Amino acid sequence: MTRPERIRSLGRTARIAAAVAAMGAIVFAGAAPAHADTVRDYEYWLGDYGFTTAWNTSRGEGVTVAVIDTGVNGNVAELRGVVTGGTDVSGLGTPDGQTPVGDPDDSAHGTMVASLLAGRGTGEGSGVIGVAPEAELLAVSVAFGQDTGAEKTNDEQIAEGVRWAVDNGADVINMSLTRNTRDWPESWDDAFTYAFENDVVVVAAAGNRGSGTSEVGAPATIPGVLTVAGVDKEKNASFDASSQGISIAVAAPSEDLVGVQPDGRVAIWSGTSGAAPLVSGLVALVRSEYPELDAADVIERVTQTADPNGHEVPSPLYGYGLIDPVAALESEVDPAEVTPLELLTDWITLHRRATSDTPAPSAETPEIVPIADPPLPEDDATNTLLPTPWTLAYITVPLSLVAGFGTIGALLGIGATRHLRRTVRNREQ
């Protein structure tokens, strides 16, 4: 992969680009196999990670997941009846959040995220099916960087979207986006605190290294958020499609993912934008099976049953390891020692105090600007959705930026505290 989030458009059943080798692209054509169509065959994570087995226990019924993104077209075949509510906080979409907003090349993002999370296929064994196929979705459309004609920044839209999702019954919030800085505005303090006070699990993508990025940005740096890193098909940290950082909780597939675009076409996609909804779907499975568990204990189930896969964890690449849906649903897991609300409250106390004691930056402080993707090779014939400079600033292509030392110190302190608690508990056992 030469891009952090590459999307190759595919015919629904006519053809799929399978691989690019010395001989060129391998293309499948003709009728689909009797047991499943080609699209379903490409969803390797369903079998490789045990989702199909986990479905014998839970399919996400009764759980509502809010997708804060570019909007979700609930009229595509895989998502009919899945989107049960929504809103547009940008002023550019429709009130139900189901009209994708943004440039045509960018607006597909939310629908693809939704299909990976809760798609229901197009029939028996055909079409894209999400990892939580009986969960319901709320669509919250955001205009990433666009002029909305009103004095509402992207930061304010995100805060408003989080609050709306909480007020409208979200059990989980999926955020396949980034602010491109480790820190975040105080309006997010209030919004995420509100989510945690109301027992909502917030899942965020770590970001993609493909553009030269090495570390995560907010909301993936917010204490209490379940941050998702990406791995390739061999279950190794993805060089192109995953950033790293001490806030990472678990890892999930982020390469060669299959999603549905707003026009109904299917595309192969890479990036932690796609890994995040796989984890949000897993959270939905757990919340459905264990409705009595609070958000902290749900997160504990997902993280403590993760598979280290031979790596020392927790780590800035894998967190506690690869998600394991079957173990998350069936294992005995001790209660969590700390809640997302406690983590965020502690951080706010430390960080905001540090910020108030730090002199204001000089006028020479460099402006934070998005960095463009590297160009595609001239002979690349694939059909890609090219990020604009504004979506680079907000949709899972984080920049490697240095935030204030107070922020870094606070994050390191909280990360170390969690690690120490885990270590002490493990030794006692």
Side-chain angles (χ1 to χ4, degrees), residues 373-429:
D373 268 352
L376 287 169
E378 292 182 1
D379 61 351
D380 194 319
T382 58
N383 181 14
T384 60
L385 296 181
L386 302 178
T388 66
W390 278 111
T391 55
L392 285 168
Y394 280 91
I395 301 182
T396 319
V397 189
L399 311 177
S400 182
L401 299 170
V402 179
F405 287 106
T407 303
I408 299 172
L411 287 171
L412 288 172
I414 291 170
T417 299
R418 294 192 70 183
H419 191 184
L420 179 60
R421 287 175 176 171
R422 304 277 188 212
T423 303
V424 171
R425 188 180 68 183
N426 290 337
R427 288 178 178 176
E428 290 175 347
Q429 293 175 345

Side-chain angles (χ1 to χ4, degrees), residues 212-223:
T213 299
S214 60
E215 296 188 357
V216 301
T221 54
I222 296 177

Side-chain angles (χ1 to χ4, degrees), residues 30-111:
H35 72 283
D37 69 357
T38 311
V39 170
R40 188 67 62 83
D41 288 342
Y42 264 75
E43 295 189 81
Y44 65 90
W45 55 92
L46 298 179
D48 290 358
Y49 284 78
F51 278 105
T52 51
T53 300
W55 290 343
N56 294 323
T57 302
S58 173
R59 294 170 67 90
E61 182 180 6
V63 176
T64 300
V65 184
V67 177
I68 299 179
D69 214 292
T70 61
V72 177
N73 181 4
N75 291 318
V76 298
E78 283 88 342
L79 294 173
R80 286 175 190 153
V82 178
V83 182
T84 58
T87 191
D88 171 61
V89 297
S90 72
L92 300 178
T94 51
D96 61 3
Q98 295 193 47
T99 298
V101 297
D103 294 335
D105 287 341
D106 305 320
S107 60
H109 196 266
T111 304

Side-chain angles (χ1 to χ4, degrees), residues 27-28 276 290 311 345 369 395 400 428:
V27 178
F28 295 116
Y290 299 97
H311 301 285
T345 300
V369 294
I395 301 182
S400 182
E428 290 175 347

Side-chain angles (χ1 to χ4, degrees), residues 319-371:
Y320 286 92
L322 308 174
I323 56 170
D324 187 335
V326 174
L329 291 170
E330 298 181 356
S331 299
E332 292 290 335
V333 178
D334 291 334
E337 298 176 356
V338 63
T339 68
L341 180 59
E342 290 170 336
L343 288 170
L344 181 53
T345 300
D346 289 348
W347 186 92
I348 291 171
T349 300
L350 292 171
H351 173 71
R352 297 309 175 197
R353 179 184 302 160
T355 301
S356 64
D357 292 340
T358 301
S362 66
E364 288 76 25
T365 301
E367 181 184 2
I368 298 174
V369 294
I371 296 176

Side-chain angles (χ1 to χ4, degrees), residues 11-28:
R12 166 73 60 180
T13 56
R15 62 185 183 276
I16 283 190
V20 179
M23 65 185 70
I26 301 174
V27 178
F28 295 116

